[in-house]
Amino acid sequence: ALEALILKNEKFVYRDALSISKQFKDTVNMSMLDYINYLRIRKALEMVKNGEHTYREIYLQVGYTNERTFYRMLKKFSE
């Protein structure tokens, strides 16, 4: 009975997360992940303008661990 309750709650949470994700996308017109990456790139561009950090320092500070991913996101969100 406990396992059935846990499984039922997991399905509810999963379904609720999908609902939240859909509402977010409908409101903001991008996925949550894209929005997070958009915010990271905006912050990175601010840091570039300040000129106080190297690109490596910037991409690490805004949460990227892979340089290629950073540049791919930079291209995607700065066009």
Side-chain angles (χ1 to χ4, degrees), residues 19-77:
S19 173
I20 291 168
S21 179
K22 183 176 178 348
Q23 286 177 330
F24 187 92
K25 188 169 187 168
D26 289 346
T27 302
V28 180
N29 205 26
M30 66 176 71
S31 71
M32 286 184 196
L33 184 57
D34 276 349
Y35 187 70
I36 291 168
N37 283 316
Y38 167 76
L39 293 176
R40 286 174 165 175
I41 293 303
R42 279 186 47 192
K43 179 64 179 172
L45 291 172
E46 287 176 23
M47 294 172 78
V48 167
K49 285 181 185 178
N50 290 338
E52 298 175 9
H53 303 283
T54 66
Y55 275 97
R56 186 179 198 302
E57 291 170 334
I58 291 170
Y59 78 74
L60 291 172
Q61 286 183 27
V62 297
Y64 291 100
T65 57
N66 183 291
E67 186 177 5
R68 292 181 79 190
T69 302
F70 171 72
Y71 285 114
R72 194 173 71 245
M73 293 297 118
L74 185 62
K75 182 178 178 184
K76 179 176 181 176
F77 292 110

